[in-house]
Amino acid sequence: MTAPLVIVSSFHFLAQGVERLREFQEQAAPSFAKHQLRIEKEITVAGRGQIGDSVNTLEQPDLIQISTIPSLEAFQAYLNDPIVQQLAPLRAKGLRKMTAHFGPSLDLAGICQPVRAGATHFAAFARFKDESGLDALFQFNKKGVESGLFPRYGIRILHLARSIKSVAAVGGLEGDAPQGLIHFAVEDPAMMKNYLQDPEYIALAPLRDATLDSYHFFLGA
């Protein structure tokens, strides 16, 4: 079975940029449905951060969209859709920059949990020291859920994907292309201090951190 594709798109708006994006989405809705493209979450970005010593110097976007589509072939068909191509300049009129990273989703059965309204959402971009990095990150999240550590602090893993390509739809790319794409949520950010001090987290974190080259994230509602 083909793994669905996860697409993480970052938008930097000009004046009226949100309105142009909404017009694009409304008019392109039939093409979204035709190719089964789903916008899973929009994050209005309010801040940035990182795990480890690599400082997140990426320019902070105004909005991040996490979308899914059944396959790479479906995504290519969507991009080649005449209606989408016709409408793309409408969206671009409101953008200073738009980048997209995409790749196949890992199987999160038993790991992905429902998240309540009002949670803070994070879009993270990881690079690894070697090819084992994404699997280590997956195992970190799997153990965090199964052990009860993540549920105890309201941490929800929503998407985890191997990034295979990064593109600039408007403007240019910056920094090194990510190798892992992560979307997670925290239901109560005030609990994060206790989470980071939890002995179970301290014992588990090296599984993730040993293979990380960088882990940069943006967060918001």
Side-chain angles (χ1 to χ4, degrees), residues 82-119:
I83 295 176
V84 173
Q85 292 186 341
Q86 180 181 348
L87 290 172
L90 169 65
R91 179 183 60 192
K93 285 181 181 179
L95 296 174
R96 181 171 56 81
K97 184 188 295 187
M98 175 187 170
T99 60
H101 312 283
F102 57 89
S105 175
L106 276 65
D107 183 0
L108 297 185
I111 301 177
C112 184
Q113 297 178 312
V115 60
R116 73 185 183 195

Side-chain angles (χ1 to χ4, degrees), residues 203-217:
L204 182 60
L207 174 62
R208 174 198 63 199
D209 298 345
T211 62
L212 277 181
D213 184 47
S214 64
Y215 188 108
H216 299 155
F217 62 78

Side-chain angles (χ1 to χ4, degrees), residues 6-10 99-103 125 163 165-167 173 177-178 181:
V6 175
I7 308 154
V8 181
S9 304
S10 299
T99 60
H101 312 283
F102 57 89
F125 309 92
S163 184
K165 191 167 184 180
S166 300
V167 296
L173 292 170
L181 306 172

Side-chain angles (χ1 to χ4, degrees), residues 143-155:
K143 291 178 183 295
V145 173
E146 293 178 346
S147 69
L149 176 67
F150 285 11
R152 187 157 66 246
Y153 292 100
I155 299 169

Side-chain angles (χ1 to χ4, degrees), residues 45-72:
V45 178
R48 76 173 81 208
Q50 63 278 322
I51 293 173
D53 297 329
S54 176
V55 177
N56 183 1
T57 59
L58 297 172
E59 184 181 2
Q60 183 169 306
D62 300 301
L63 184 77
I64 292 178
Q65 280 183 353
I66 293 93
S67 305
T68 58
I69 198 165
S71 66
L72 178 59

Side-chain angles (χ1 to χ4, degrees), residues 109-181:
I111 301 177
C112 184
Q113 297 178 312
V115 60
R116 73 185 183 195
T120 298
H121 284 254
F122 294 72
F125 309 92
R127 288 188 57 81
F128 307 108
K129 295 175 183 177
D130 57 52
E131 293 183 356
S132 69
L134 188 63
D135 182 64
L137 182 59
F138 173 82
Q139 292 299 328
F140 166 81
N141 287 293
K142 185 174 187 289
K143 291 178 183 295
V145 173
E146 293 178 346
S147 69
L149 176 67
F150 285 11
R152 187 157 66 246
Y153 292 100
I155 299 169
R156 308 297 189 217
I157 305 303
L158 303 172
H159 297 93
L160 179 56
R162 182 184 303 277
S163 184
I164 58 173
K165 191 167 184 180
S166 300
V167 296
V170 179
L173 292 170
E174 60 174 319
D176 295 324
Q179 297 165 312
L181 306 172

